[in-house]
Structure formats: C-alpha cells, structure tokens
Amino acid sequence: MRDETRSSKEDVLSNNEIKELLSKASGVDKLIILTLIHCGLRASELEHMRRHWLHFDEEDNEFGIDYIQISKNQQPCDCPQCALNAFTKLRRGDVKGKPKIKKNRDWYLKVQKEFHRLRATGNLPELKAYWLPKTKKSSRVIPIFDKKLIKMLKSYFKHKEKFELNRFQIWERVKKVAGKVLPDKKLYPHALRATCATNLAKRGFGAYDLTTFLGWESIATANSYVREDTHHMVKSLKELNKK
C-alpha cells in the first residue's frame, strides 16, 4: 500500500510514462487510469461513482460541457467501508441526545474487529449506511474534454448504475498494470491524482482553479503544485518578455 509518509507528488508520472502505462492498459484498467489522470478523482470517489454523476450530451446545461458532478448529498451505499463507518458511528453514540466517545486508536481497532466478526456471522445490527464526499469542497463539478474517456464512461455505465470495484481493487489494478510497464515506479491511485494536478499546473491552471477542480479544502495544497512548477514559471516569464 501507499507509504503515508511519502508525498504523492514524489510519484507523479511524466508524459512518456503516462503513454507507456496507457499502452498496456485495457478495459476497466484503462478506464480507471484515464479517469484518475484526467479527472483527479480520489479512489473513494471513483469507487462511489454513480451513473447520475455523469452529465454527457445534455443539450442545455449551465456549463455547456460534458462533466461529472459529485453530489453533496448523502448517497445510500452498501459497501463494507460505508457499513463500517455506520457501525462505528453507532458504537460511538453519534445520535442526538447521546455523547460521542472520544476518539482512540485502540477503541477504533476494537470496533473494527467487532464489525468484521458480526458481519462474518451475519449478526450485524441494521445500519443506515451512506457515503458522503470527504469534505464540502469535494462535492464539485469536474469538466471532461477527453473524448476517449467520455466514450469509455458512457459504455461502462450504459448498463450499470454504479462503479463496481472498491478502492482496494482499484489500487491493485493500478499496481498490476504499473508493475508490467513501470516496475521501478511507485504507483497508486493518489499518485495519478497528483499527476493530474501537476499537469494542470504546468498548463497554467492557477491555485484557485486547482483547488476547485481537485476538491481541496485549502488553497495551500494547490499552491505547493503551482510554486513547484518551475517550467510553467519560465514559460510565463518568456511570454511576458515577448510583450
């Protein structure tokens, strides 16, 4: 799995590496890679993508483009992670009139073990499980201009209401394809998200636009991409000196 002490910016793909990766990917693997690179989705967002997120071929919409929209509303979900979140909330007492239990790593591990035991024996209590974006700003509009990706998303969701792989399966598929083409490269979904941010910064995307597109809470995250893009700085300076 990803090393949490390592920044995903350290594992950004070059344009040549992207081409190599896509040349060996096919089917749903290619769909995953293209979506993460072009849309900058988090793995959890791709995992919970639904058909109604897609706004393609609409004759009249406020943006006049094809786009994905991640809703801010609760989305009913029966995946194991959302069920675990609901179970944890239940055990923590996150309901009106009941105090929340203070967060503690050992307590969470104990609750997780209880969840998996009850789930394995079919004794889980009734849960109201749902998914929400990571933060308020994660609920966003993501324009798509890549025709190949639009075609693949249309094809995938033609007979499906939701994306049918969880984040761990997404991670494993990215790792498997990368292992064949880029064996010395650390690659995982968040590195593809960082690749998206890096490429947009190089093409002139400002910090505020990056923050909106990627769904970050703080502009400081976007600033780190913009400040580190020396190539774009040099290009901008050249343009100024032509005037």
Side-chain angles (χ1 to χ4, degrees), residues 119-184:
R119 186 166 178 260
T121 58
N123 292 315
L124 267 178
E126 185 176 345
L127 299 169
K128 292 182 179 179
Y130 57 85
W131 179 79
L132 277 174
K134 184 178 180 181
T135 66
K136 288 183 178 179
K137 289 189 177 179
S138 297
S139 170
R140 62 197 188 278
V141 167
I142 304 170
I144 305 180
F145 294 93
D146 188 89
K147 299 301 181 183
K148 184 181 295 183
L149 175 56
I150 291 172
K151 183 178 179 181
M152 292 183 75
L153 285 169
K154 283 181 181 178
S155 177
Y156 186 88
F157 284 99
K158 185 176 182 179
H159 301 296
K160 300 179 191 294
E161 287 295 330
K162 63 181 183 178
F163 195 71
E164 295 185 341
L165 298 176
N166 62 44
R167 73 192 71 181
F168 303 107
Q169 292 169 320
I170 291 168
W171 194 93
E172 286 298 329
R173 283 175 175 265
V174 170
K175 180 182 175 183
K176 186 176 180 179
V177 176
K180 294 177 182 178
V181 188
L182 307 167
D184 298 325

Side-chain angles (χ1 to χ4, degrees), residues 28-53:
V28 71
D29 295 341
K30 195 164 191 172
L31 174 62
I32 289 170
I33 294 167
L34 278 172
T35 304
L36 296 178
I37 287 178
H38 284 289
C39 302
L41 293 177
R42 300 175 176 91
S44 62
E45 292 169 344
L46 178 55
E47 172 187 19
H48 290 92
M49 185 183 285
R50 298 294 187 264
R51 184 195 292 175
H52 69 262
W53 290 18

